[in-house]
Amino acid sequence: LYLLSQLDSMMGSQVDAVSDLSKLIREHRRIAQRSDVPERMWAIYQERQTRLVENEKWFDVAALHEGAWHPMVRRAVDNPTLLMDIAAAYEEIGLPHRALYLVREVFPMLLQSDQDDSMLVYNLARLYGETGNPNEGLKTLRYLRTRKSGTKDAGDVAMLAASLKEMAGDVEGAAMELRRAVRSPDNRDKASVWLARMEAESGQCRRSTSVLWAKLMTPAGQKEVATP
C-alpha cells in the first residue's frame, strides 16, 4: 500500500494516494504509527485539499476528509488553518455538526502550539449555537473574553453572546450583551434595533418605538429589523 501510494502520487492521482495511505493506517495501525505514513499522508492530503478549497469544491473537500482522515494524522499537521477551511466547507454544504466536530479537533492542536486564535474560538462558539448548544457556546465565549489579546471585535463577541443567551432563554442577559454591542460602531445599528425589538416584545413599547420608527424610515433600517 505504501509503494502503491507512491506510484499513485507520481502518476498525479492524489486521491488514490491518500486512499492507499488511509487504508494502510486503518488495517496496519501499529506499522503506520512507527513509520512516516501519517506525515506522508498529511503532505499529499494537504496539497489536494488546498487545491480543492481554492476552487471552492466544497463537496469534494468534505468527501475527501470523510473518506481519508484519521486521528493518527494529527501529529503531522503543521497547518491547522487548512482544517478550518475544511470545517468551513462542511458549513457551506449544510453540515454544521461536522464542522463543529472538526473545529473541536483543531482547537487542541492550536493550544499545544501556542496558537490560540481568537477567530477560531469565536467560530467554535458560533457553531455551538448553530447546532443547538448555546450553553457550550457561552462557555467558549467566556474563555475568549479572558484572553488578554485577540483580533475579534468586542462588539461581535457581544452580538454572538446576545444570540446565544436569547437562545438559552436568558432574555435579560441578551439585552445586557446588546447594550455592550451598541458601543461598537460596526454593530450599533443592528444591536439597537434588536434591543428595541426585544423591548417591544416585553411590553416596553414606548421605549422601543422611537428606535424602530427611525430605522423603518430607511431601507437599511428595514433590513436590520427584518434580520435581527
Side-chain angles (χ1 to χ4, degrees), residues 196-228:
R197 188 262 297 167
M198 291 179 65
E199 290 174 342
E201 290 176 351
S202 66
Q204 303 176 54
C205 297
R206 184 174 297 178
R207 181 187 296 183
S208 63
T209 298
S210 59
V211 175
L212 292 177
W213 179 258
K215 296 299 179 182
L216 283 169
M217 296 300 290
T218 65
Q222 292 172 3
K223 183 179 179 181
E224 294 291 351
V225 173
T227 58

Side-chain angles (χ1 to χ4, degrees), residues 84 99-101 103-108 110-111 116-150 152-153 156-158 160-162 164-165 177 180:
M84 290 302 299
L100 174 61
Y101 183 87
V103 171
R104 290 178 63 180
E105 188 173 9
V106 174
F107 192 48
L110 293 174
L111 287 177
D116 183 5
D117 183 76
S118 60
M119 191 65 200
L120 183 145
V121 182
Y122 176 88
N123 282 330
L124 179 58
R126 178 181 57 79
L127 283 168
Y128 273 126
E130 289 184 8
T131 54
N133 295 286
N135 290 325
E136 289 299 321
L138 289 167
K139 287 180 185 177
T140 305
L141 285 186
R142 282 197 290 273
Y143 167 75
L144 178 59
R145 282 172 162 166
T146 63
R147 290 168 46 83
K148 294 181 180 180
S149 62
K152 201 61 195 162
D153 182 77
D156 292 339
V157 174
L160 178 56
L164 294 170
K165 287 185 177 181
E177 294 292 351
R180 287 182 179 178

Side-chain angles (χ1 to χ4, degrees), residues 71-120:
M72 190 186 297
V73 182
R74 290 177 193 161
R75 79 184 198 196
V77 174
D78 56 3
N79 179 21
T81 303
L82 175 62
L83 295 177
M84 290 302 299
D85 291 336
I86 296 167
Y90 277 118
E91 286 198 81
E92 289 287 343
I93 62 175
L95 296 173
H97 285 85
R98 294 298 296 153
L100 174 61
Y101 183 87
L102 185 53
V103 171
R104 290 178 63 180
E105 188 173 9
V106 174
F107 192 48
M109 297 181 194
L110 293 174
L111 287 177
Q112 290 174 6
S113 59
D114 199 25
Q115 298 179 47
D116 183 5
D117 183 76
S118 60
M119 191 65 200
L120 183 145

